[in-house]
Amino acid sequence: MLSLLNSFRIVALLEGVSYILLLFIASPYKFFTQDDTYVKLLGMPHGFLFLVYIVLAIMVGKELKWKTKTLLIVLVASIIPFGTFYIEKKYLKPIK
């Protein structure tokens, strides 16, 4: 069974990838072609992953006893392109 931290790492990766696809593929495609198919296709999964990311971030923050500042950085990173990848490197290193 996956630990809470590993579950969060997977969701953070998926959320980051879905956000990048939405911003850099689906949105420009919609802008240039007036076809919102890809935005609709990626929007719902990204929204779900975003919400799961927020919930898991709070749960992991409590488990790892993050300071409020750290939790805020992790939460804000979810709205910055490539932010979740930074969080993975900086805050979600495997516990040895």
Side-chain angles (χ1 to χ4, degrees), residues 24-40:
F24 297 113
I25 305 263
S27 293
Y29 182 80
K30 177 184 175 184
F31 178 78
F32 290 113
T33 66
Q34 307 306 314
D35 178 6
D36 64 354
T37 302
Y38 294 113
V39 171
K40 288 180 179 179

Side-chain angles (χ1 to χ4, degrees), residues 45-63:
H46 170 70
F48 176 74
L49 288 166
F50 174 78
L51 293 174
V52 173
Y53 177 92
I54 297 299
V55 170
L56 286 177
I58 293 167
M59 292 171 67
V60 168
K62 286 183 181 185
E63 185 177 288

Side-chain angles (χ1 to χ4, degrees), residues 9-92:
R9 294 175 81 191
I10 291 167
V11 168
L13 172 69
L14 294 173
E15 196 275 337
V17 169
S18 72
Y19 193 33
I20 289 167
L21 290 173
L22 195 57
L23 283 178
F24 297 113
I25 305 263
S27 293
Y29 182 80
K30 177 184 175 184
F31 178 78
F32 290 113
T33 66
Q34 307 306 314
D35 178 6
D36 64 354
T37 302
Y38 294 113
V39 171
K40 288 180 179 179
L41 184 68
L42 290 168
M44 182 68 75
H46 170 70
F48 176 74
L49 288 166
F50 174 78
L51 293 174
V52 173
Y53 177 92
I54 297 299
V55 170
L56 286 177
I58 293 167
M59 292 171 67
V60 168
K62 286 183 181 185
E63 185 177 288
L64 298 180
K65 296 179 175 68
W66 284 341
K67 295 178 181 175
T68 303
K69 180 182 176 183
T70 302
L71 179 60
L72 288 175
I73 290 169
V74 171
L75 293 174
V76 168
S78 68
I79 60 172
I80 298 171
F82 303 99
T84 59
F85 304 119
Y86 169 77
I87 295 304
E88 165 69 26
K89 267 300 200 214
K90 178 88 174 174
Y91 297 102
L92 304 180

